[in-house]
Amino acid sequence: NVTGVQTCALPISVSGGGANAVLCVVTTAKKVECRGNPQYQTGQEQVPPDLGPAVDVHTGSFETCALLVDASVRCWGCD
């Protein structure tokens, strides 16, 4: 169970770690949800509100990227 993520939304992809301790999941509804350490303000945990349905997610040291269902990749965080 990931803290802050609905228990009925099972993850199909999980990525976490990096320098800023961000954890992101893609739920079975293809929604990306992220949580991060509030000590760090890189923006990785702030999923863009217009992010489309995703199939995979990856967290790096300062950015997060999602593979969307249309095969495009979208990244956010500290450039």
Side-chain angles (χ1 to χ4, degrees):
N1 193 11
V2 177
T3 302
V5 176
Q6 298 174 3
T7 56
C8 61
L10 301 173
I12 58 171
S13 177
V14 178
S15 181
N20 300 318
V22 173
L23 175 69
C24 295
V25 301
V26 177
T27 68
T28 53
K30 296 183 175 38
K31 180 180 176 187
V32 175
E33 296 188 20
C34 296
R35 302 293 180 264
N37 185 335
Q39 177 181 353
Y40 305 104
Q41 299 296 317
T42 64
Q44 287 178 268
E45 70 288 345
Q46 298 171 0
V47 179
D50 62 341
L51 185 69
V55 295
D56 200 5
V57 65
H58 175 75
T59 57
S61 293
F62 299 102
E63 71 287 319
T64 299
C65 295
L67 175 61
L68 305 180
V69 296
D70 66 1
S72 65
V73 175
R74 178 128 180 235
C75 299
W76 60 94
C78 187
D79 293 334

